[in-house]
Amino acid sequence: MKKKIMLTMVCLLAAIGWVTAQNSPIKGIVISAEDNEPIIGASVLVKGSSTGAVTDLDGNFTITDAPAGSTTLVVSFVGMVTQEVPIAPGTIKVTLKNDAKVLDEVVVTALGIAKKEKSLTYSTQVVNGDELTRAKDPNMMNALAGKTAGVQISKSSSGLGGSSKVIIRGNRSVSGSNQPLYVIDGVPFGSSTSETTATTIGGNNDAGNLDKGDGISNLNPDDIESMNILKGPAAAALYGSSAANGVVIITTKKGKVGRASITFNSSTTIDQAAYGIPDFQNSYTGKTSSWGGDINGSPDYTDDFFQTGVTTINSLSLSAGSEMMQTYFSYANTYGKGVVEGNSLVKHNFNFRESANFFNKKLTVDANINAVYQKANNRTVSGGYYMNPLVGLYHFPRGGVEGGNSFDYYKNNYSVKDPVRNMMMQNWYEGGMNDMEQNPYWLLRRTPNQDERYRTIVNMSVKYQFNDLFSLAARGSADFVADRSSQKMYAGTSSVLAGANGRYMADESTTLTTYGDILFTYQQQFKNFSVNASVGGSVNDYNIKSTGFDSFPSTLSIPNIFSMKNVPLNSGSLTDLAKHRQSQSVFFTGQVGFRDMIYLDVTARNDWTSSLAFTKYKNKGFFYPSIGLTWLLNETFKLPEWIDLGKIRGAWSQVGNGLDFYISNPLNTVTKSGSISFNSAAPFSDLKPEKTTSIEVGTEWRFFNSRLEFDFTYYKTNTKNQLFELEAPSGSEFTTYYVNAGNIQNTGVEVVLGATPVLTNDFRWKTSVNFARNKNKAIELAEGLGKYFEFNGGESNNIASRLEVGGSFGDIYGASFVRDDNGKIKYDENDMPVIDKSDFIKLGNSTPDFNLGWSNTISYKDFSLYFLIDGRFGGEVVSLTEADLDNYGVSAATGAARKAGFVSLEGKQIKDVENFYKNVGGRSGCTEYYVYNATNIRLREVSLSYSLPRNLLAKTGFINGLQISLIGRNLFFFKNNAPYDPDGMMSTSNRLQGVDVFGMPTNRSFGVNLKVNF
């Protein structure tokens, strides 16, 4: 009896002690039921109050100020079932289970509208922000190469800070852009390319092919939460006339509820010019080429020319927030030193974002300001002859000029004093100095260029939730960009490119883009049906002003004084333009779901744009509809438990592609000295934007708790109303006129297969394969066009980019060998192959037959290995670089042929090696001989990471996480048939695809990344 009384008293005292000691800390740990791992960031609230905590990196929580009398904790985490647990002494252990509704995960779609991922009627691919920061690139889009099906990403050959070419499901537009629309937090983002590439010879006004980067490269990748790539027109239909090429939806980071956190991320890579440096012969020299006498070896001139580059990207972000307000701030600094002397890039990014909730979370306000400053010095050309130091570097006779000076002499004495002019002038070997070839070190040091960009983006959104059914949202943004660039050419530069006293070019431009939209949304769940509908409107206004001058074709008044005051403006070139365009839109999107089995999507948008002024469509605008259907088999039928998701989807849509300025009613312009330049194009009152009609079907499956995933898509698009400018009949008032015509078709398939073959407490292997194949075909072109449409760029070289009916984007045309009826090459009386230079024939197509990417993440305890192998299979490319080097006798092929005593051409031995290469090589030789298979497979990206143990970091008291990684990009090729990297692009426009003309080599990069969380 005494024992029972004692036990009762002990229990009573313990209970009284706990109740009276409610101010003592409440401690616990939250773990996952699936793998017993701690859950980071789980919310733990004392029921009936706002007091609570967020779990740390070890899943632990502590609540020190719980109200007296509290008895229950509410524990929640995204994707898991919320638990209520009683407060008890000691450490409270809470186990959360995965929510069966995890398949209801939402993704951000067009206009920032969030939808259940399983309900989507089209294909999208979400990319986590970590994919952009694991192994960073100054242009973050390059970090996505090989990671997404149906998205082909190539980078400009201009090197550090150049543009990216992003093509989603093939090229569609003959005269317009084929790059996607970028949307950041629901607002369209300008990402035009600032490249001056025009020809294989060299740029606008013979100033060299320069690429100053694109708009998307201005962003800080550490600010990106995720990207959702809307691949097809159906996914992007709500953007109407901007949707034809797909849309990249970018969601940026914002402050999070919970304790304040600080993240520091630092990445440093070493860059080496690795792919695209030609192989040279070292046995023969000469005076103006290397077709002279024997030598015993030659130094490699490229060794000293290409230096080791360095790219460093540091970022610091701060996040804090309560239930009422959340704050996010970040700063990033990018510094790059290119692989060519004097080339550098500096970029600063500032980002501040504030989010707030009012009136019991009915009103949400989100404001953001993003500021960017970027400066680049001595950007390298992306290819071409003019102003390209690689031409002289590669041409220079092997072993030095025969009977003359060495390469080092001209390197150290790139300028010498001219006794007549009493000034330093360019010094280069006899026969080498011309408009297409100059001393490479003169070009590096006496033709400097510089460009700067100031960019400020301000966004604000307001949303009011009236009740569970209705909400109203409004967004507004202003994007201001100020660009300034200049290039100097000292006296002594080739007289074809600069005046006797030098040349000075400078220009400044400003663009202001303002955007606003309003969206009214209704959503309701009935017994068997769900309805989600939105209606709204938007206005997008774009203004650009630009002024500039160029002393060429005249010259500076005083040699080498680079000032506008020293430029004779009446005899030089002047630019002064102002352009304005506005579009207005109304749109509707609606989704009806039936029992979570079937979802029907409908969208409609009508666009009016100022580009349609003076046309019969100016008041009507253009209408862009879409309709899609999704059927969830796992919700309809009783499937085996190991099938988590079975889905069939299909969609149809019509979208457009934006029009350029002032086509419907071209105007005369005023040029220098008040002269008038009369417009030569006829007005076009029937002008229409391009129209793309698309169908898409696909299926998605998930098995074994999403450890195996499969996604298949087939699509077909037809783009009509292509804009062509044709020659007017003789005697017409105007020399050219516009027509809408043509039909460009793309068909293709995309497959994504993901799996987690191994998953234990300590070890995980996650792998993913993506496959894409696209077939492009010109079904019809414009009447009156002639046999083909030719993209500019080939000029005086034996190469052309053409599009014929039945042909495809990327078709390469050029001079070819003349063959007999049996397909054998014909030879002349000198035993030289006969070349037909009068009528170019199709030699290949630069588009790959298919692309394949394979990514893997292998984790063991605190170590993680990631690697990406990707390849492009099929297609052809042309190297005019190799053709030119053969003509000059400096290539390894010419040396080997001379040693062998012959050249073998399709089984025939040609003894006159020099004459052969001078006939087939060079700019006017046989293009066919320099066509290469573009198949290549590479180790695109590698990261080996180690995270310091949490218990070790806990001892510091302020470091919550620390990860150090060894990283690499483009480490090596498993296979590459071309003499350069086929991913390198001379131009990111529609022209010159698959053509290499002394392009800069692609870099191999490796380094270290440090990430610290406080």
Side-chain angles (χ1 to χ4, degrees), residues 923-936:
R923 296 173 42 236
S924 59
C926 182
T927 323
E928 178 186 355
Y929 192 71
Y930 297 97
V931 175
Y932 303 88
N933 187 297
T935 296
N936 66 87

Side-chain angles (χ1 to χ4, degrees), residues 713-716 746-750 773-775:
T713 303
Y714 167 82
Y715 61 86
K716 176 185 174 184
N746 285 276
T747 57
V749 295
E750 298 164 356
R773 175 180 172 86
N774 182 79
K775 179 63 177 176

Side-chain angles (χ1 to χ4, degrees), residues 734-813:
F734 299 94
T735 58
T736 63
Y737 66 99
Y738 290 101
V739 295
N740 284 120
N743 181 0
I744 306 298
Q745 179 175 284
N746 285 276
T747 57
V749 295
E750 298 164 356
V751 179
V752 179
L753 179 64
T756 306
V758 182
L759 180 62
T760 68
N761 288 337
D762 293 331
F763 185 84
R764 184 184 73 165
W765 172 29
K766 185 175 182 180
T767 185
S768 178
V769 175
N770 69 77
F771 167 90
R773 175 180 172 86
N774 182 79
K775 179 63 177 176
N776 178 279
K777 185 177 181 180
I779 303 297
E780 63 179 77
L781 297 174
E783 291 185 12
L785 179 65
K787 185 179 178 182
Y788 54 79
F789 175 84
E790 183 158 358
F791 299 99
N792 295 329
E795 268 59 40
S796 58
N797 294 307
N798 273 357
I799 192 164
S801 298
R802 293 177 179 173
L803 187 62
E804 295 184 357
V805 172
S808 305
F809 270 80
D811 283 348
I812 301 170
Y813 287 76

Side-chain angles (χ1 to χ4, degrees), residues 233 236-244 584-588 602-609 612 621-627 652-659 688-693 721:
L238 269 179
Y239 290 107
S241 59
S242 301
Q584 301 173 2
S585 310
V586 294
F587 40 78
F588 166 81
V602 177
T603 72
R605 176 173 175 133
N606 207 90
D607 285 348
W608 296 265
T609 173
L612 293 174
F622 282 88
F623 180 66
Y624 303 106
S626 78
I627 185 170
W652 173 92
S653 63
Q654 280 189 342
V655 296
N657 197 7
L659 294 165
K688 298 183 287 288
E690 294 176 7
K691 180 175 68 175
T692 296
T693 302
N721 295 341

Side-chain angles (χ1 to χ4, degrees), residues 302-594:
T302 65
D303 280 349
D304 290 334
F305 184 84
F306 293 113
Q307 60 185 16
T308 299
V310 178
T311 303
T312 299
I313 304 175
N314 297 309
S315 69
L316 181 71
S317 64
L318 297 86
S319 175
S322 63
E323 292 289 340
M324 290 288 294
M325 301 188 72
Q326 302 88 44
T327 301
Y328 178 84
F329 171 80
S330 72
Y331 165 73
N333 169 266
T334 301
Y335 169 76
K337 183 184 77 169
V339 296
V340 172
E341 177 186 311
N343 177 216
S344 66
L345 175 74
V346 175
K347 182 171 63 175
H348 300 275
N349 293 81
F350 298 88
N351 186 21
F352 180 74
R353 184 172 184 177
E354 189 73 19
S355 307
N357 302 307
F358 303 95
F359 310 128
N360 230 4
K361 296 188 178 180
K362 285 184 175 293
L363 178 65
T364 302
V365 180
D366 192 352
N368 167 252
I369 182 168
N370 197 323
V372 182
Y373 170 72
Q374 178 177 287
K375 181 179 181 180
N377 288 311
N378 298 321
R379 291 186 186 268
T380 54
V381 298
S382 58
Y385 285 90
Y386 288 164
M387 309 303 295
N388 192 340
L390 299 190
V391 179
L393 179 71
Y394 294 169
H395 276 179
F396 192 82
R398 308 303 293 164
V401 176
E402 190 171 24
N405 294 313
S406 68
F407 183 80
D408 280 346
Y409 166 79
Y410 291 103
K411 171 186 174 182
N412 298 325
N413 299 277
Y414 63 89
S415 63
V416 294
K417 191 170 184 178
D418 184 331
V420 177
R421 301 196 64 183
N422 194 31
M423 59 189 299
M424 303 298 287
M425 302 289 282
Q426 183 175 179
N427 183 29
W428 196 225
Y429 69 102
E430 184 179 352
M433 179 66 181
N434 55 61
D435 55 333
M436 298 196 184
E437 179 186 339
Q438 301 182 67
N439 187 316
Y441 289 92
W442 174 272
L443 292 176
L444 293 184
R445 298 167 185 173
R446 289 296 179 263
T447 62
N449 64 78
Q450 182 182 96
D451 60 85
E452 293 178 282
R453 165 166 286 193
Y454 301 83
R455 185 169 194 170
T456 303
I457 307 168
V458 179
N459 295 324
M460 185 173 181
S461 66
V462 178
K463 180 179 180 181
Y464 188 81
Q465 190 76 39
F466 296 99
N467 50 40
D468 292 339
L469 304 182
F470 300 101
S471 66
L472 182 66
R475 280 184 298 245
S477 76
D479 183 356
F480 177 77
V481 182
D483 288 322
R484 181 168 57 197
S485 64
S486 65
Q487 182 163 10
K488 306 171 183 177
M489 299 183 189
Y490 280 71
T493 302
S494 169
S495 59
V496 177
L497 309 179
N501 291 337
R503 180 179 178 182
Y504 184 39
M505 297 167 283
D507 64 79
E508 295 184 358
S509 67
T510 60
T511 61
L512 175 62
T513 305
T514 55
Y515 174 87
D517 68 23
I518 188 167
L519 194 68
F520 181 76
T521 300
Y522 161 72
Q523 54 184 3
Q524 187 169 2
Q525 179 71 50
F526 299 95
K527 182 178 180 180
N528 292 323
F529 292 92
S530 62
V531 178
N532 193 327
S534 299
V535 62
S538 67
V539 177
N540 197 335
D541 194 86
Y542 178 81
N543 282 277
I544 180 171
K545 295 181 180 180
S546 176
T547 59
F549 62 84
D550 183 352
S551 63
F552 196 68
S554 185
T555 187
L556 300 177
S557 298
I558 304 172
N560 302 336
I561 300 298
F562 301 101
S563 168
M564 187 172 68
K565 300 175 183 178
N566 195 37
V567 175
L569 298 180
N570 286 336
S571 54
S573 301
L574 296 175
T575 58
D576 186 5
L577 64 86
K579 295 182 178 181
H580 178 214
R581 179 174 57 206
Q582 184 178 102
S583 62
Q584 301 173 2
S585 310
V586 294
F587 40 78
F588 166 81
T589 176
Q591 182 185 79
V592 178
F594 174 69

Side-chain angles (χ1 to χ4, degrees), residues 953-1004:
L953 296 176
K955 297 178 181 179
T956 66
F958 64 95
I959 299 179
N960 292 325
L962 191 153
Q963 183 184 76
I964 188 168
S965 307
L966 300 177
I967 56 178
R969 289 187 61 80
N970 291 319
L971 292 185
F972 59 85
F973 282 97
F974 295 98
K975 178 184 180 63
N976 184 25
N977 296 323
Y980 71 102
D981 180 4
D983 268 9
M985 307 292 285
M986 184 175 172
S987 170
T988 56
S989 66
N990 294 338
R991 62 171 75 97
L992 301 174
Q993 304 305 300
V995 179
D996 170 51
V997 188
F998 293 92
M1000 287 292 159
T1002 299
N1003 292 341
R1004 174 194 295 117

Side-chain angles (χ1 to χ4, degrees), residues 22 26 45-49 69-75 83-87:
Q22 281 293 282
I26 302 173
L45 287 175
V46 177
K47 189 173 182 179
S49 75
S70 301
T71 59
T72 306
L73 297 178
V74 180
V75 185
Q83 294 268 33
E84 292 190 7
V85 296
I87 297 174

